[in-house]
Amino acid sequence: MVFKEYDYDNQPIVEIVNEIMADAVRNRASDIHFDPTPDKLKVRFRIDGDLVDYAYVPNAFKKNMTTRIKIISGMNITESRLPQDGAIKTELEGKPLDMRVSALPIVDGEKVVIRILDYSTSLQGIDNIGFSDVNLEKVKRMLDVPNGIILTTGATGSGKSTTTYAMLQRLNVPETNIITVEDPVEMKIEGLNQVQVMAEIGLTFAAALRSILRQDPDVIMIGEIRDNETARIAVRSAITGHLVVSTIHTNNTLNTIERLTDMDIERYLLGTALVGLISQRLAKKLCPKCRGSRPATEYEKLVIKKAINLDIDNLYTPVGCDDCLGGYRGRVPIHEVCELDQDIKDAITNSTPKEKLRSLVYGNGKTISLLQDGLKKAVNGLTSFEEILRVIDIETDFGDGDEELRMALLGKLPTKSAEENEEGNEEAATETPAVTPAPEPVTTPIEKAPETTPTASTPEPPKPEPVRKVDPNNPEYEIPTEDKLSFNQSDINFGEEMSYDDFGDDYEDDY
Ligand SMILES: [Zn+2]
């Protein structure tokens, strides 16, 4: 679907490229993809995790466009057979904008991807990045520990850098020496000593870390623990009096512990060093302007009852309006924050089997699981039940200890109505009823439900509201104002306002 049609014959390519970047920022895109195909260059935006077609550039202008991007990102334009990296630094409406650019030769030309680095979320601080109250308290307690390791874990694109930077911001006080080793340095923060890894000249994570320890640090941030040597240095630094903040590519508390114990580190040192594990995933956030409410299915009621012991009748549901993409706008993090108490530390040291470890981590509600945190956020209207099911991994997130919950999620446990009615079958249990906006928003005893706008429960198509209602207690719900952005490089006329409806809904899901 051609979403934006440029007049390639008459509009200079310089202007078109500027406009593409401005449009991407206006639409909160995290990346811009330029995909060469045999007959065109496809331009796509990644918005809230999904790629959306934006424009098709005819073959005759393909090379010009790629060259223009390579020029402004400081790449060698005579080289098109080897991968290259570049960067664009510019300003939009006085706000600094950093973009990281990558060019990769593929059979149909050069594929260019522009990553738009957005620091605004990290800069909101640890209090405003989507932690539930209970989890926020835990994270703050971890950050008060003078030495040890705090790991944020998750897949690529799970927002773990945002969380890590927000933690560093809290630790960033004048009396502290913070040194980071990153690949790449994503966000420059005043007060931090940030080291860029350059493996090609031998400055690896491990090499940089060895030097850092001679720089009298209090806090060390390691971009990512990727290998045994980095892990060993991290542990050694932690037990010699430093607070180490890092990330690792695992998906939940137990998998992280398993992964770390598989590395070549003495278990008793690991048990001593680990302070906290934050696992994170991103779910799409329901658009607060148009979200509706619908009766929950028996299946949903059962899963919510088993997971968070709540009886609910209704669930929030996506509707869709001019301000969002299919009822969603932005994303909300789902967390699992595990504080390592002495029992868990001992279990790591003593190689306790995984299922025993599971009960130590989750038993007595000590750690709120990703599913539980997600369902609470769904019940409170931040996201939808469907989104939580999408981000939960039934294979790896559950074990023997929570077999009943796993069966409930798989739709293999009889629901209440099926129990009452012997004829009830599994099919009926997972059936989804038609969406009918209910008059009352769901409220739960767990947290105050965010204020709903009057349009949330009216069946008519939502009308634009003159004033956007923002609950001051829910900064997550603040909708950024659609600033008119402009590049300082040249004057751009943005023309008419863009509507999300133009995107269509056949975008692909890569999560
Ligand atoms: Zn909406």
Side-chain angles (χ1 to χ4, degrees):
M1 181 195 74
V2 177
F3 160 59
K4 188 112 174 192
E5 293 203 45
Y6 288 102
D7 182 0
Y8 295 95
D9 290 314
N10 295 308
Q11 202 176 351
I13 210 81
V14 172
E15 255 179 40
I16 297 176
V17 169
N18 283 353
E19 204 168 320
I20 291 172
M21 291 192 290
D23 268 351
V25 172
R26 295 176 72 216
N27 284 285
R28 306 170 293 110
S30 59
D31 304 81
I32 312 170
H33 288 236
F34 298 85
D35 299 304
T37 70
D39 58 332
K40 62 182 173 294
L41 184 70
K42 207 159 79 170
V43 185
R44 296 187 291 172
F45 291 170
R46 188 180 293 282
I47 300 169
D48 297 341
D50 293 326
L51 280 170
V52 186
D53 280 9
Y54 167 79
Y56 293 157
V57 183
N59 252 358
F61 301 92
K62 192 160 139 179
K63 182 86 187 157
N64 277 359
M65 182 164 285
T66 311
T67 303
R68 173 64 191 162
I69 300 164
K70 286 169 77 174
I71 290 171
I72 56 174
S73 52
M75 290 185 196
N76 176 3
I77 55 164
T78 61
E79 179 58 77
S80 57
R81 296 164 307 165
L82 288 171
Q84 290 190 67
D85 291 324
I88 303 172
K89 269 189 194 300
T90 182
E91 266 183 18
L92 272 176
E93 269 266 303
K95 276 191 271 180
L97 188 65
D98 279 359
M99 294 185 259
R100 211 157 59 215
V101 189
S102 152
L104 178 74
I106 63 168
V107 285
D108 291 312
E110 271 183 287
K111 175 170 167 67
V112 176
V113 176
I114 301 179
R115 159 66 51 95
I116 301 167
L117 301 171
D118 181 8
Y119 315 134
S120 54
T121 317
S122 308
L123 293 171
Q124 287 170 5
I126 202 87
D127 297 281
N128 301 309
I129 55 167
F131 281 112
S132 69
D133 292 347
V134 177
N135 283 339
L136 181 61
E137 257 176 59
K138 284 187 182 181
V139 173
K140 286 181 175 173
R141 269 204 300 272
M142 290 174 192
L143 292 171
D144 284 340
V145 173
N147 56 285
I149 301 179
I150 304 171
L151 288 178
T152 307
T153 78
T156 307
S158 61
K160 55 183 192 284
S161 322
T162 302
T163 303
T164 306
Y165 279 123
M167 290 197 289
L168 283 182
Q169 267 217 312
R170 186 176 167 86
L171 296 166
N172 188 8
V173 288
E175 51 271 30
T176 305
N177 177 18
I178 305 180
I179 307 184
T180 76
V181 193
E182 303 171 68
D183 185 21
V185 171
E186 287 184 38
M187 174 181 173
K188 285 193 192 134
I189 305 178
E190 213 185 311
L192 304 192
N193 304 289
Q194 294 172 280
V195 178
Q196 165 71 56
V197 166
M198 278 180 281
E200 61 275 18
I201 57 160
L203 186 60
T204 58
F205 271 112
L209 284 167
R210 283 192 296 266
S211 305
I212 279 175
L213 288 171
R214 293 191 283 271
Q215 289 272 326
D216 185 29
D218 299 295
V219 178
I220 300 168
M221 188 273 243
I222 304 170
E224 189 180 348
I225 294 182
R226 291 180 198 165
D227 53 69
N228 286 338
E229 195 181 1
T230 310
R232 273 200 303 272
I233 299 173
V235 168
R236 217 176 303 146
S237 312
I239 57 169
T240 53
H242 309 97
L243 184 63
V244 178
V245 178
S246 188
T247 71
I248 191 164
H249 194 113
T250 48
N251 53 8
N252 58 36
T253 307
L254 287 182
N255 286 9
T256 306
I257 294 176
E258 210 173 23
R259 171 82 197 281
L260 289 168
T261 50
D262 281 349
M263 286 179 141
D264 188 18
I265 320 164
E266 292 89 338
R267 278 177 167 256
Y268 74 98
L269 292 181
L270 185 66
T272 311
L274 280 181
V275 169
L277 301 173
I278 303 165
S279 312
Q280 179 166 334
R281 290 175 203 174
L282 292 177
K284 288 184 197 162
K285 191 191 272 185
L286 277 175
C287 169
K289 276 191 93 182
C290 68
R291 67 191 167 152
S293 180
R294 62 165 170 80
T297 64
E298 291 302 319
Y299 165 71
E300 290 162 341
K301 286 180 188 174
L302 179 74
V303 168
I304 288 170
K305 181 73 185 170
K306 292 275 177 220
I308 52 174
N309 194 27
L310 268 185
D311 294 299
I312 51 121
D313 294 318
N314 297 298
L315 278 172
Y316 284 100
T317 191
V319 175
C321 70
D322 284 351
D323 261 19
C324 62
L325 229 123
Y328 296 101
R329 188 190 160 98
R331 284 184 292 176
V332 58
I334 308 301
H335 298 111
E336 184 169 292
V337 180
C338 175
E339 270 182 307
L340 282 95
D341 58 18
Q342 199 53 49
D343 289 345
I344 303 176
K345 284 168 176 280
D346 290 345
I348 293 173
T349 306
N350 302 324
S351 309
T352 303
K354 193 174 179 182
E355 286 313 314
K356 178 81 200 307
L357 195 57
R358 184 185 302 279
S359 65
L360 288 174
V361 170
Y362 301 104
N364 299 325
K366 266 195 283 186
T367 303
I368 295 159
S369 70
L370 284 156
L371 176 70
Q372 290 171 324
D373 189 50
L375 288 178
K376 284 178 190 180
K377 284 169 175 161
V379 166
N380 287 330
L382 283 165
T383 182
S384 67
F385 185 88
E386 297 88 321
E387 267 298 289
I388 298 308
L389 279 199
R390 188 181 64 83
V391 300
I392 290 304
D393 187 340
I394 295 181
E395 289 306 311
T396 66
D397 291 348
F398 304 93
D400 296 344
D402 29 42
E403 185 58 13
E404 201 187 27
L405 185 54
R406 199 172 78 89
M407 291 321 248
L409 279 163
L410 290 168
K412 288 180 178 167
L413 268 197
T415 59
K416 218 172 167 187
S417 67
E419 271 170 359
E420 282 161 10
N421 174 11
E422 298 273 315
E423 318 279 56
N425 57 30
E426 285 168 17
E427 290 298 306
T430 53
E431 205 180 289
T432 311
V435 173
T436 46
E440 285 298 315
V442 186
T443 50
T444 74
I446 294 179
E447 273 170 56
K448 188 177 156 282
E451 230 175 278
T452 48
T453 57
T455 49
S457 54
T458 32
E460 297 93 45
K463 296 175 192 86
E465 292 167 63
V467 182
R468 283 176 180 156
K469 254 185 130 179
V470 174
D471 181 350
N473 298 320
N474 270 291
E476 285 183 289
Y477 259 86
E478 200 164 329
I479 308 165
T481 44
E482 305 268 318
D483 290 338
K484 186 172 176 282
L485 303 165
S486 63
F487 272 93
N488 63 351
Q489 303 176 332
S490 67
D491 283 323
I492 301 163
N493 179 13
F494 285 105
E496 58 192 88
E497 280 272 300
M498 196 158 46
S499 154
Y500 283 104
D501 286 348
D502 296 329
F503 283 114
D505 48 16
D506 57 339
Y507 49 89
E508 58 179 90
D509 194 346
D510 78 328
Y511 277 88

